[in-house]
Structure formats: C-alpha cells, structure tokens
C-alpha cells in the first residue's frame, strides 16, 4: 500500500490502522512489492468491472460477475465467480457473454441469474456448489443491439440475443415473475407519417418484437399477465422491478405518447383471480424505482448547494427530515429489510465524488464510507451485513465485507491480482470554482516520477459526471488512456461538469433540457450547460499553470459523448487547448436535429432552418469551425451525419483533423458507443497517444497504430492555419 | 384493331394497309373483340416489359425475356421464351429471377445469357432446342442491392445475388471475356475521413467486393486480366463492353478521383503476350459506349432546336454530316455489320417521343419507324433483318420482324395476349409551348367514354423525359395508375420536362448540374431546370381548361424521383394543382445536401448552412411549406431524411399530408425506387386513386387500401389552412 491510497483512509467509518490490519490478512498481498511496476495499455484494456454481486442467504458465500475484455472473443466477456467469505477464497464458475440480475432464490441457498452461456440470455439457477441449471428458457431468443435484424436498444447495447428479459421471485420464493422477448411474425408493415420519420435515422435493419410477461405459480402453471411493446421502457429495461403486496404484484408500464415524458401507469396483477387493475397514472415520472424508507415513505434529497436535505415523504403527505448531508442518494446500493424498518441507500458525496452507504432507520441515519468507493453492494435480508466492491481512482477493485452495525469493512479479495503489482499513480481529488462561481469536482493524476517545480504537458478528460472514485472506468476515460498519459509524462485532469445540484439556475437548465423546452432561453441554456463547463476547464488549466504544475502551451482536451459536446464547444470558445480528441459525439451540430428534436429545441429554440438559424450560427461547432485552432481527432462508432458535418467543416476551415471510424466485429454489427471490441479500444487508445504526442509535444510516436496517417498530419500541420500560432510547431 | 391505334400507322415505313394485313395473320388476333374491356389494376400490375431480345444466327428463332410481376414470388420475375419466327409461335423456356445480356454465341446457333435460375447470376448457354446449360459459374455469388450485407448498387437494384457480372465473345466465338464479383474477405476495416462521411448516409449494412476480369482461351485456360473496385462503374455496369481488335481486347476503366467526372482510361489486353497497355486517358467521358459509324468514326447528333445535325466524327478529325433530323440517337438499338460498312442506331423523335431505327451507310441514312415505338431490337450480323418490340402508349408490346432493306415490319406475336382484350384508351401525343417559349412533349389520355363538351377532372403525371411511346411503363407512370384514372373519368396528362436539346441555355443548365458546378448561377438553374417545367405544366393545364376539356378546379399532380422534384416545386410556386402525390423524392430539401453535394452545389451555390442559406430559403420546398395549398401524399421506399423533412414542414404549416413507407419483402431488404414488390405497387396505386378521389372529387373510395387513414384525412381537411380556399371542400 502506497501513501496516496493510505491518506484517503481518514474517512469516517474505518481507521487507517484497521484497514492496514485487514490488508495484511489479504491472501494476495505480497510483501516487498511496494515499488510496483508501471501501467501498460493492456492493464487498462483488461481492467475488470464488477457488474453483479450477491450474498448467499446464509451469508457464507458471495456470487459475483466481472466483465473483462476478451481479445480472443473480440468482445467483453463476464467471469462468474463464487467467493467463500470465511475462507477469503474464490473460484471461477463459468464465463458468459451476458451475466445480470443476480438474485438469491428465497428459501434456498441458491441464486438465480440471467446468463448467456450459449443459448441467448436465459434464466438459470446457480447453486452454492457451483452448478448452473436452466430455470426458464425461451427457445426463440431475439437478437438485440446495434446489429442487422435486431431489436434496437440504443447505442450502448452490444449485439446479443435475449430469451428472458427480466424476472423476480415472490418473497417466499414460490412464485416467479418473468418476461420474455418475442419477435413479431409476418412481413414488415407499411408505415405512416411519424413512424416513417424515425426510419430516416436508421443505420441498420431492425426487427420488431414484443415483451410477454408471465407469472409462474408454485404448482408450475404459468399465467400470461400482459404483452407490451418494446417502446415501453419499463417493460424493456425494468421487467423485474415489481412489488409483491398480498395477492397483488405491482408493476409499472409506460405508454409512450409522443412527448418526452410519456405516461406511466402502476398496474396490479391479482395472482389468485388473474385480474388486472390500474392503480395510478402519472405523467413525467422521473425515476424507475422509488426508494422506500423505514417510515413507509419515499426517500429523497432536495435543495441546492453542497449540503442537501434528506427527507422521507410519507404516504400521509407528512415529510420527515433526517438532516442535511454532503451527498446525493441513488438506488444503486438500495435495500430494505424484510420487516421494513431499516433501509440502506447508496450515496455519492458532493465534494469528492465517492460512493458510500447510508443506513436509514427510524431512529436516524448512519453513513458508511470506505477507503475508496463502495459499489455493487448486496445485503442480507435483515440488513446487518453487506458485500461490496471497494474501488477508487488509484485503488484496484476488491471485494469487501461490511458489518453494518459496527461499520467495519474487511477486505476479502482483489478482483484481479495483477493491479496490485502496479505502483499506484498519484491521483488527487480536487475541486475548482470557475470565474462565474460554479464548482466542479475531479481528479489530478500526476505524472509518474513527478518532480515539483517542473512543468508538464496536460490532458483534460471530461465526461459529464463520471469522474468519480472508480478504477480505470471506461465510462469516464473511454479510449483516453489516462494512466498511460501519466506514465508518459502528462498531467491528467479528469474533470466533471458543474453539478446541477449546486444551484437553481443549473438545475432549471438541465430540467429544461430533459423536458425538451425552455425556459431558460437558448442563450442561457448554451451558457449554463456548455460554456460554464468550458469556463471551469479553462480556469482549472489556468490554476494548475499558475501553480507551476502544467505548461499552458501544451494542453490537450478529450471527451466522448457528453464530453465530446464540451470538447467541441471548448475549442470553438477557448484558446486554452492545443489539441483535441472528440469521441463519438456530434450533438449540437445542425444535422443532428432530425434525430432528437426534443434535445435540440431548448438549446436552439427550434430546428436549424428558418428563424432559429441564427442560434445555430452562433453556437454549433461546425458553423464556428473558422474559430478553431486545435487539431481535432474524432473517433467514432456511429459514423453519424453530425460527425461528418464537423469533419467537413474543419476540413473547409483548414483545421488539421481526422475522422476515424471503428467498425463492428463483422459487417452485420457495429462497435458500440463505449467500445466493446478490445482490438478497437486498444487501437483507439494508441491513436490518442500518437495524436496528442504529435500535436502537443511534436513527437512521432513509434507505436502509432496507423503510421501511414502521419504523412497526412505532416501535410495538415504544414498547410494549417497560420493565424493559429499558439500551437506547437510540427515535428 | 381500333381507330386510335390505326391512325398512328401513317408514319413512313409501314402503310396502314400493310399493317392490317400483317395483323390479320397474327395467331392471337380474335375477330369480334373490337369493343374490348376496361383496364384493371391487375392489367397495369402485370404489364410485361421485354428486357432482352436476340435473333438466332440463322435468323429463324428469337430468344426474349419479359419481366412480369409475380405476386406469388413477391417480386418481378422474368419469363424466357423462344419464338419460331417462321411459324409465328413461341414457348416458355424458363423463369428466372434475373435474365440479361442475351447474346448469340458466334459460330453456333445457340445463345448465352446471364441468368439467375437459383444459383445467383451466372453465365449459361441456351440452345435453340430450349436446353439451358451452365457455361461459367462462380460458386460464391455475392449479394447486391438494397439489402443487408450486400454490395450497394444504387436505389434501383432489387436484392439479388451475382456470380458472373458481365461477358463478351470474341468475333469467332472461341474466346470468352468475363468478369465476376468477389466478396472481400476479412473483418471490416477501420475507415478514415471521407470514407467515414459516406457511411453517414447508409441505411443498411454493406459488404465490400471487387471485380475480377478474366479471359478464357480456346484451349480452356483462363487468364486473369485485372481486378477492379466496385466503385469503378465501367467494371460494375459495363463489364461486357469490350472491343476485339487483333490480339488486343480494348476495355475502359474508371478511376474515381473524388470529382463528379472521374478519370476514364482505355486499356488494351494482349491475349497472346498477356500484357496490358493504356491507350488513352480522358476526364469527364460522357458515354459508356461509342456509336461507331460506317466511316470508322463516332456518330453524334448536335446543335439545338427541333432538327439536329447527325454527323460522324472520323479518326482523322474530319466530320461527315448526314443531314438534319427530328430525332436524337442512342446506343439502345445499336449494331454494326461484320464488315463495318453498315450501322444501325436507335432514334427517339423529338416532336412525338417515339423510338425508331436509323440505318446508316456510307451512301446515306434511312429511317425506319413503326406504328408505335420500336424497342429492344436485335439484328443479324449483316444488318439485313431485325426483331424488335413494337409498343406505344395505347399499343401493347408485340414482337415484330423487320426487313431492313425494304423497311417492312411484320408483326410476330403479342408478348401477352390479355392486353389485346382491352379496348385501348384514346391517348393522343401533344406538344405544348410554355409562356417562356420552352417546348414540352407528352400525351393526353382521354377518359373512357369521353364526351366532347364535358369538363373532366385531370391528373398531371410528370417524370423527366419518360413520357414516350412505351406501354404502361412503370418508369413513367410509376405507382400512378394512368389507365385507371382514365377509366374512372379523369383526363390524364403525361408530360415531359423541356428537352435540353431545344436550346443552348437549357443544355448549359443541365450540363452544369451534371458537372456539379455553375455557371449558370443558382437562380438561373432553379428557373431553367424546375420552374420552366412548372410553367409548362401550368400552361398545359390552362390550355386544356381553355379548350373546355378539363375542370381547372380539379387538377392533381403526381411524379416520382425527378418528377417528385417538379411536383414539390410546382405546389410551392403554383395554385394550379389541388392535390399532389410526390413519389420517393426529396432532392432540393436541405438535409439531402450531405448525400449528394455535387448535385446541390450548382442549384444552391453550396451547402445549406452559412452564406447559401438564402437560396435554400427561397427554393427548397420544405422551407416554403407555408405557400403550399395542395394536400401532399408522399409514397416512399427509402424513408430518407429529406422526405421526413418535407413531411414535418407540411405538418407544421397545417397542410394536409401523408407520408407512406412501403417496406421490403423482409426486414433484411428494401423496396426499390421503382417498386419491385407487386403487393406494394398495387397498394400504392390504390392509395393514389383514393387520395386524388378524396381531395379532388370529394369522394371516399370504397377500395381505399388503408380505410382507417380516411379519418385522419377528414381531420386534416377540417383543420387545414382556411386561406387556401380553392381546394375542393372535403366530402
């Protein structure tokens, strides 16, 4: 254990001494490796991400799933493992294409899970002895994801096939609620009007399917509850989220009505009478799940600022206030005890974005935080103990056991021992306040062998609010190899957008964006949601330059998706960045309007033709390409029109640029928004290193993945715009 | 034979008497059917189109292919038939998905053809006895057309699979030149820059392939000549167009260089030495084939006006002028005698767009025209006799035999006897001169039982230059059932655009459009290529209204592709049209720019953002939706962004509109630009009838294919724009 990690152990809930004692017991801790080795690209590529974790009923075992890049299989695969908590040992059960929805089967020591182990995603029983048996199988699974003849699931889903979509057990384990995906038969139908407009954006063939929901009784008979279209996001993505209440099972359906908000209904299925009734009907429901508290109400945090009010809204309309805290809450680590008297919710602290737990009882609350973030927790039925993953920016993920009564956290096992061999990089959480008073959180990763007094080149990585205490997380650093940049002598700044919880105006702007209409007016929206982020990044760069840490003439900026929006706005509004990498983005460009009018309307006032064109002219990056000095690399999985539009505009404005498209595993499928094909991710990381080395440092990377492109960079550097003279001269 | 057909027999080349005599010999002519029956939708759907026709070497037989809708097979299929010319009989040989490139095999009485009879498109030998034997087969045919995992061939190609792409025989029939399509192996590659931009417009997955060209020697050995990319349009679409010259085979390749024009090279392959040389290199070659004349030069027509100069450009640069004629020439009915002394070219007359033949000898030329158009002709090697299809607007296609020396045309057989049962509709060729002096040709189809003195509602159908003497041609009338409209009491006006051959300014505008840049300036382009067509249509309507034939308050307009451009401009610039059907178009809308910049640049000056936006604002139909009064139906196969853009704009402007998408036979494939799926075509024709009956006549068609849509029409009629008060009130 190295100092930077140890210094983080002063958080309430676990003393540094206790942690060190626990660490000494860890079976993989090896003496004398405190120096450790450097990061490699392979380390980043193979960083495991725990996606599921569940205790056994007796608390002696835990079942977990770790997603790890599999270069052989050309995709991410999931390792399923069983942990013997007492012995502190684990063994691999199986490897699956998909492994999700791990649950205990009530009344047994076994688990159930949705796995794809060759037959598409189906429901299996997993014994504590490691045996895997089918529980419910759909013999006709349906292809989903970004591939030909598949049901669309958005850009994030890698191509796979789904038989069983969701499930839940009754509290006694005797009834099984499940939903399955079924392809619609027959030839394609003739479409009219808006149903045609949506096709204008398709890139691949798709098929239609529907979702059938069933309830299996203790005697094995199966009743069909309802059939829903795949447009019902509740049925599609939350099929197992039901409430068992007497003879009724409560679930929610969404009736898309053409608005952004849709209409949500709560339905109740009576398992004895086999009848349905509608309990409530609400527009614009904001959450999929409600966090039930110990007073039978709903737990929420409210207010603005750095301390938020935690309250429970009771069914009688009364509001119980637990106090003010420096975190937000979510359902990611949520559980309620069997007797309903004790709840636990996940927290994310505002100052330093770290995940923890909050035990909520009628008598009060208790925060439990670890040496780093506590994620993927599971609890026993009485909420007395937990297993979690502990992970941080510089802390490789390990499993820990938590005694909730004492708050004691015991390390169990590392998820992958190889990361303990690496000498952690000095990574410090930091907050900045921009010139307009908006606060952002983030991290500064120091270059390996950092010497105070030297100035280093810097790379800013930005992606919404994902710069938090997680380990080498692709959702945050995408194909930007932060650790490798630090190994190669860059300061890496991982910086979040200003959190909307800090002020009413930011919250109003984000609400308008998700609602699809202002107020505020477009100009204010542009400022609050994009320009304040850019100001924060620019001010953070200036601050670190003023401290003497970074060289302000060699600063790059990188971000994907939401981050790409910020990158594209940053380079059109700021001269602080001298090279840019913009990943699979394009929102804000005019041609994107057709694909998401509700997202554009509040930002620009309307479509890009006619009266609103002035707003686009003012703010769309491609229409402001003349102002850009930084060379721009776009790495894309979608080949969307907006990306081509920005590329063409940069070309026309003589800005050095490259548009690189990473294809799917075959012509029948696409790479996903977060790359799932290891070879693509590796090449994209190497391409970013070569790009920034070339344009910021004037270096030709010997490991550049497409060396033949460097001639084009040389040409662009030579012919590039002379007025932008702040950039480093080419090598 | 009825009067309207007979009156057309006064054309030079065949007297009416001779034709009647010949007709009496026709085995299918039945006495007493002069009254005939009415047209049905099924008649239009099943109208045969002869796609291939070839004489046998001894002139005793002809082989032909007729494409006919096959409702069972859900597509168009081709009947292959042999005709015994002496006996005047025919019999079916086979049915094929694809049948093309029929040729005599020199030195034999057999033919060869590219057929898909279950193994993809391969090369077969067809004996005069009707036997079909494989000649060259590619065991790994490649999917092409608008379908998943296929090689793109543009919007027109229905999904099929290609083994052998093209071929030709040496004059002695001993050597065989052929090309085959080969899928490229390996995973998809990473793409850069412009290669990514082109993906932004894809709607389906595609695969990559290349074209391999081979020469088979008399001893059966095969030499590989060259490998070309599918981007080489010469290799892709004209693989069999070669010239055998001594030991060399001359062929052309295209090297796409990013410009519209490309670079074309003529290459020569020496079959003895197996070496290649480059003969010439030319930019912007305008034709795929050159029409060799009897003076070893190239035949061309030049000049402007209604009489054009026919000349032969000789290799020594000398120009021989044959005279001035009222037709243009093309390679569609071209042949050269074995001794090179006699050529025949296809003609299309300017005044009345009818196809004929022109025999060209050193001594002079001779025009041969029939009772209607002569199409798909084939000739013996000495150019003394021909077989052709004779067809016209009201003349069902029949095979005819022509003695070229005498010009005598003998009817052989009808292609489908059912069309002789129909009493022809009175269809009269007509020319109009618009207010600006531009001339257009076309036809007026009179309603069944037309009574002079009554006024009829009218439908204008427009599609480029395809309103010519062909029978119920889908390239012209698409899904607009002209004959059914006439049966139901409409006057149908089938009108061409002003031909560019008539004036230098029109020719310059069309040249600029195909070149991808002006001059003329955008405003002039818009006027010459679109507004002059609209003026011509409007003036034609006014003329027929002034004559008392049509009711100017009940005029509809319909057109697909190029015709859809004219329809969309017409309704934004004219109040002459009270309902519109715009088929699978969208060019001129801003969002189409990305897909075809070179097509947009001369029309608007540049892309739709920035300085050129004013031009779009002025002319793009969707940006002028506020000016539209006519209800607009769009029937589409592509679901392109431009079509959605116009739909949304019409909706926003409260113009009654419907966007109907006709899908492919399966989710893995699309309907084509000219519909190839019979059920789609039938529904689309019925939809057009219901649409015009509703908006022009205030009638609810009992046969409306989507009766549930009529409620939406009622709502739109009620809520439609009150200021547009010239439209018929809703029923």
């Amino acid at each position: 254990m190295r100092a930077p990690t140890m210094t983080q152990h002063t958080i309430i809930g676990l003393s540094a001494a206790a942690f060190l004692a626990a660490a000494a017991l860890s079976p993989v801790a090896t003496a004398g490796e405190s120096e450790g080795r450097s990061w490699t690209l392979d380390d980043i590529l193979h960083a495991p991400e725990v996606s599921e974790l569940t205790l056994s009923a007796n608390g002696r075992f835990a079942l977990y799933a770790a997603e790890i890049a599999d270069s052989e299989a050309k995709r991410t695969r999931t390792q399923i493992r069983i942990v013997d908590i007492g012995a502190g040992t684990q063994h691999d059960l199986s490897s699956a294409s998909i492994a999700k929805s791990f649950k205990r089967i009530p009344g047994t020591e076994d688990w159930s899970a949705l796995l794809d182990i060759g037959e598409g995603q189906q429901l299996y029983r997993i014994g504590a002895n490691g045996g895997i048996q089918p529980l419910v199988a759909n013999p006709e699974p349906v292809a989903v994801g970004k591939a030909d003849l598949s049901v669309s699931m958005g850009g994030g889903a890698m191509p796979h096939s789904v038989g069983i979509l969701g499930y839940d057990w009754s509290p006694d384990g005797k009834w099984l609620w499940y939903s399955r995906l079924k392809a619609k038969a027959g030839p394609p139908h003739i479409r009219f009007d808006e149903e045609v407009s949506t096709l204008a954006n398709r890139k691949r063939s798709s098929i239609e399917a529907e979702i059938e929901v069933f309830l299996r009784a203790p005697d094995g008979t199966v009743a069909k509850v309802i059939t829903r279209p795949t447009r019902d996001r509740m049925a599609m993505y939350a099929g197992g989220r039901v409430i068992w209440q007497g003879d009724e099972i409560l679930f929610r359906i969404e009736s898309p009505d053409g608005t952004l908000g849709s209409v949500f209904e709560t339905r109740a299925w009576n398992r004895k009478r086999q009848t349905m009734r509608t309990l409530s009907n609400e527009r614009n429901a904001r959450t999929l799940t409600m966090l039930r508290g110990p007073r039978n109400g709903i737990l929420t945090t409210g207010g603005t600022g750095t301390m938020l009010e935690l309250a429970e809204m009771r069914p009688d309309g009364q509001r119980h206030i637990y106090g003010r805290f420096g975190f937000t809450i979510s359902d990611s680590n949520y559980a309620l005890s069997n007797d309903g008297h004790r709840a636990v919710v996940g927290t994310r602290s505002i100052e330093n974005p770290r995940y923890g737990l909050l035990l909520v009882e009628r008598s009060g609350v208790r925060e439990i935080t670890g040496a780093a973030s506590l994620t993927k927790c599971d609890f026993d039925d009485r909420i007395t103990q937990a297993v979690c993953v502990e992970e941080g920016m510089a802390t490789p993920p390990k499993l820990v056991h938590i005694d909730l009564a004492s708050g004691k956290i015991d390390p169990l096992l590392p998820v992958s021992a190889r990361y303990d061999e690496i000498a952690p990089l000095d990574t410090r959480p930091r907050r900045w306040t921009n010139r307009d008073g908006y606060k952002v959180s983030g991290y500064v990763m120091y270059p390996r062998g950092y010497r105070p007094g030297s100035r280093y080149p810097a790379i800013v990585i930005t992606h919404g609010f994902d710069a938090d205490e997680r380990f080498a997380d692709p959702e945050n650093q995408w194909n930007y190899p932060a650790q490798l940049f630090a190994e190669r002598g860059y300061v890496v700044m991982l910086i979040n957008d200003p959190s909307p919880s800090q002020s009413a105006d930011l919250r109003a702007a984000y609400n308008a964006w998700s609602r699809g209409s202002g107020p505020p007016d477009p100009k204010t929206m542009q400022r609050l949601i994009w320009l304040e982020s850019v100001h924060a990044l620019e001010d953070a760069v200036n601050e670190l330059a003023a401290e003497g840490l970074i060289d302000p003439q060699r600063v790059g900026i990188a971000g994907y998706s939401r981050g790409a929006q910020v990158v594209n706005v940053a380079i059109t509004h700021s001269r602080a960045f001298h090279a840019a990498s913009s990943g699979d983005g394009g929102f804000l460009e005019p041609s994107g309007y057709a694909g998401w009018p509700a997202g554009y309307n509040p930002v620009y006032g309307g479509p890009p033709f006619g009266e609103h064109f002035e707003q686009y002219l003012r703010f769309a990056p491609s229409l402001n390409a003349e102002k850009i000095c930084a060379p721009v690399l776009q790495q894309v999985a979608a080949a969307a029109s907006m990306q081509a539009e920005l590329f063409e505009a940069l070309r026309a404005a003589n800005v050095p640029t490259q548009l690189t498209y990473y294809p799917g595993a075959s012509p029948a499928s696409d790479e996903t928004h977060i790359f799932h094909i290891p070879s693509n991710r590796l090449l994209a990381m190497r391409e970013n290193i070569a790009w920034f080395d070339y344009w910021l440092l004037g270096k030709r990377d010997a490991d550049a993945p497409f060396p033949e492109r460097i001639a084009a960079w040389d040409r662009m550097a030579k012919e590039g715009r002379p007025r932008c003279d702040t950039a480093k001269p080419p090598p």
Side-chain angles (χ1 to χ4, degrees), chain A:
Chain A
M1 293 294 136
R2 284 170 63 83
T5 309
M6 279 180 59
T7 56
Q8 293 164 0
H9 284 85
T10 51
I11 310 294
I12 301 158
L14 182 68
S15 72
F19 182 80
L20 280 177
L25 294 173
S26 169
V28 296
T30 310
E33 65 165 22
S34 63
E35 274 317 290
R37 62 169 176 84
S38 301
W39 277 84
T40 65
L41 279 172
D42 230 41
D43 292 327
I44 300 178
L45 189 67
H46 290 97
E49 186 178 344
V50 174
S51 54
E52 294 284 331
L53 175 56
T54 323
L55 271 174
S56 65
N58 60 18
R60 287 179 46 209
F61 298 96
L63 181 73
Y64 79 100
E67 294 179 359
I68 301 172
D70 181 340
S71 302
E72 292 281 308
K74 292 193 162 191
R75 49 174 293 166
T76 299
R77 283 185 68 82
T78 305
Q79 297 297 327
I80 306 171
R81 295 174 184 158
I82 281 190
V83 180
D84 182 326
I85 292 177
T89 57
Q90 64 180 346
H91 70 274
D92 280 1
L93 270 196
S94 179
S95 153
S97 301
I98 302 282
K100 55 189 272 198
S101 303
F102 285 14
K103 293 180 186 185
R104 289 190 287 277
I105 303 177
T108 76
E109 292 298 324
D110 292 350
W111 296 276
S112 54
L114 294 174
L115 306 178
D116 182 347
I117 50 177
E119 311 288 326
Q121 179 178 302
Q122 309 284 7
L123 182 59
Y124 292 89
R125 172 187 287 262
I126 304 177
N129 62 1
I132 299 180
Q133 303 295 334
L135 259 175
V136 182
N138 172 354
E140 291 177 335
V142 177
V144 304
K146 283 178 73 183
D148 288 350
L149 293 178
S150 299
V151 174
S152 170
M153 286 189 90
M158 71 176 153
H160 64 290
S161 127
V162 172
I164 305 299
L165 197 54
Y167 75 98
D168 196 34
W169 296 102
S170 63
D172 65 2
K174 298 205 162 119
W175 297 71
L176 175 63
W177 177 273
Y178 66 93
S179 56
R180 72 180 187 195
L181 208 51
K182 188 183 175 188
K184 277 187 172 173
H189 67 284
I190 290 168
R191 292 167 174 249
F192 299 101
D193 301 349
E194 289 80 4
E195 228 197 335
V196 185
S197 316
T198 61
L199 280 187
N201 294 303
R202 75 162 179 200
K203 296 273 176 200
R204 293 195 169 273
S205 58
S206 60
I207 54 171
E208 289 175 68
E210 52 198 10
I211 296 154
E212 296 179 321
V213 180
F214 299 93
L215 181 65
R216 192 177 81 182
D219 66 2
T221 58
V222 173
K224 184 158 167 185
V225 176
I226 197 171
T227 300
R228 297 295 305 158
T230 53
R231 291 173 304 139
D232 178 338
R233 288 171 293 177
M234 293 302 305
M236 192 70 179
Y237 303 107
R241 297 208 183 170
V242 301
I243 295 171
W244 302 79
Q245 193 169 276
D247 285 340
E248 289 186 324
I249 299 104
L250 278 52
F251 63 101
R252 293 168 93 194
I253 63 168
E254 179 192 23
S255 303
D257 64 352
T259 71
L260 261 190
S262 287
V263 173
F264 293 87
E265 275 180 24
T266 302
R267 297 281 186 96
W269 172 257
N270 188 304
R271 54 182 156 175
K272 290 226 170 114
R273 292 191 211 133
Q274 307 217 344
T275 53
M276 184 104 75
R277 65 190 180 105
T278 298
L279 291 184
S280 72
N281 183 312
E282 44 191 324
R283 182 173 290 275
N284 300 327
R286 299 291 300 275
T287 55
L288 290 184
T289 317
M290 294 176 221
L291 301 171
R292 194 119 63 113
R295 286 177 167 77
N296 204 26
I298 309 294
L299 296 168
T300 60
T301 47
T304 53
T306 52
M307 295 298 278
L308 305 178
E309 191 175 73
L310 176 70
E312 184 168 348
M313 292 292 294
R314 289 164 49 183
D316 60 8
Q318 295 288 310
R319 207 157 149 268
H320 177 83
I321 295 165
Y322 289 96
R324 292 179 73 85
F325 302 93
F327 54 72
T328 55
I329 62 172
S330 83
D331 64 350
S332 69
N333 282 328
Y334 172 75
L336 184 70
S337 64
N338 278 356
D339 60 10
H341 292 160
R342 181 182 253 203
V344 63
V345 292
T347 63
R348 184 178 192 264
S349 51
I350 290 169
E351 289 283 335
N352 166 12
R354 175 178 292 182
Y355 296 93
L357 299 178
L358 186 75
L359 202 59
V360 187
E361 292 171 296
R362 285 176 172 242
S363 54
V365 302
R366 172 152 182 215
E367 201 178 347
I368 300 168
T369 57
S373 283
L374 297 173
T375 60
K376 301 289 167 190
C377 300
D378 188 48
F379 308 91
D380 66 328
D381 291 342
R382 292 176 303 129
I383 317 285
T384 61
Q385 56 169 323
V387 281
C388 296
V389 173
E390 189 180 71
E391 63 175 325
M393 273 285 163
T395 309
K398 67 171 75 69
L399 301 188
V400 297
H401 177 268
I402 305 176
D403 180 81
L404 294 171
S406 67
K408 185 163 179 291
I409 303 177
D410 291 318
L412 288 171
L413 291 155
V415 176
S416 172
R418 76 188 274 179
Y419 296 92
D420 292 330
E421 300 163 7
I422 302 172
L425 288 158
D426 185 357
T427 307
R428 305 180 193 172
R430 183 153 177 167
R431 277 174 80 76
W432 293 271
T433 302
N434 81 2
R435 68 199 78 165
D436 310 308
Y438 295 97
K439 295 183 178 65
V440 296
S441 58
Y443 297 85
V444 178
M445 195 179 278
Y446 285 73
R448 179 77 72 193
Y450 158 69
R451 283 178 298 115
S454 297
R455 279 184 188 275
Y456 295 88
I459 307 240
V460 174
I461 298 175
T462 180
H463 174 251
F465 309 105
D466 275 327
D468 52 23
E469 277 280 16
R470 287 182 297 173
F471 185 71
D473 183 8
E475 285 181 29
N476 183 39
Q477 66 185 67
W478 203 60
N479 304 326
Y480 314 118
Q483 296 76 10
L484 260 284
F485 283 126
E487 295 286 359
R488 293 166 73 98
Y490 289 90
V491 167
V492 183
M493 304 162 70
L494 301 139
I495 307 185
N496 287 313
D497 288 315
S499 162
S501 68
Q502 73 187 269
S503 74
D505 60 351
L506 279 173
R507 184 164 280 169
Y510 274 90
N511 283 348
W513 200 17
S514 82
R515 190 171 59 231
S517 65
D521 63 272
K523 204 171 158 185
T524 306
M525 290 288 290
Q526 293 160 18
R527 178 176 62 80
L528 288 170
I529 301 187
W530 289 273
L531 292 176
E532 291 301 352
S533 290
V534 171
H535 290 172
L537 301 182
E538 206 174 30
D539 294 346
V541 164
N542 290 339
E543 213 174 294
L544 266 56
E547 291 170 10
L549 176 59
I550 67 172
D551 172 358
Q553 293 308 310
R554 295 185 297 169
V555 179
I557 185 167
Y560 83 103
S561 192
R562 160 65 188 173
Q565 299 166 21
V566 173
V567 168
N568 297 353
V569 172
I571 54 181
T572 48
H573 285 80
S574 168
R575 291 286 183 94
F577 308 100
H578 307 92
S581 184
S582 175
D584 207 37
F587 180 79
L588 291 179
E589 301 306 348
S591 72
Y593 182 84
W596 190 28
Y600 276 70
N601 285 335
V603 180
Y604 288 116
F609 301 106
E611 55 177 317
H612 307 293
F613 186 63
E614 284 303 312
Q615 287 293 343
Y616 286 81
L617 213 49
R618 181 180 179 274
F619 200 65
S622 66
L623 301 181
N624 289 276
E626 287 285 333
K627 300 178 189 146
I628 298 177
C629 288
V632 183
L633 170 65
Q634 289 187 84
Q635 299 176 317
V636 303
S641 57
M642 305 89 84
Q643 298 157 355
E645 195 169 13
L646 180 60
F647 168 76
E648 301 288 355
L650 290 163
R651 262 293 153 83
N654 211 12
V655 178
T657 190
Q658 180 166 311
L659 175 57
T660 310
Y661 168 81
Y662 286 89
S666 85
S669 64
D670 284 323
E671 181 54 282
T672 41
H673 191 47
I674 295 180
F675 287 16
H676 72 280
I677 301 173
S679 58
N680 278 345
R681 189 152 183 251
L682 196 57
L683 288 168
M685 289 195 289
R686 287 168 55 199
E687 189 180 35
N688 277 312
I689 291 172
W691 182 258
F692 285 115
D693 271 12
Y694 182 91
W695 295 104
L696 293 180
L697 312 186
K699 271 200 216 165
R700 293 165 188 279
D701 179 21
D703 190 40
F706 315 113
E708 72 284 3
R709 299 294 303 176
I710 292 182
W713 302 357
D714 287 342
R715 201 165 54 243
M716 294 189 294
K718 199 172 155 198
E719 295 166 5
R721 322 187 66 199
R723 71 167 176 79
C724 295
D725 49 8
T726 57
K728 194 78 188 163

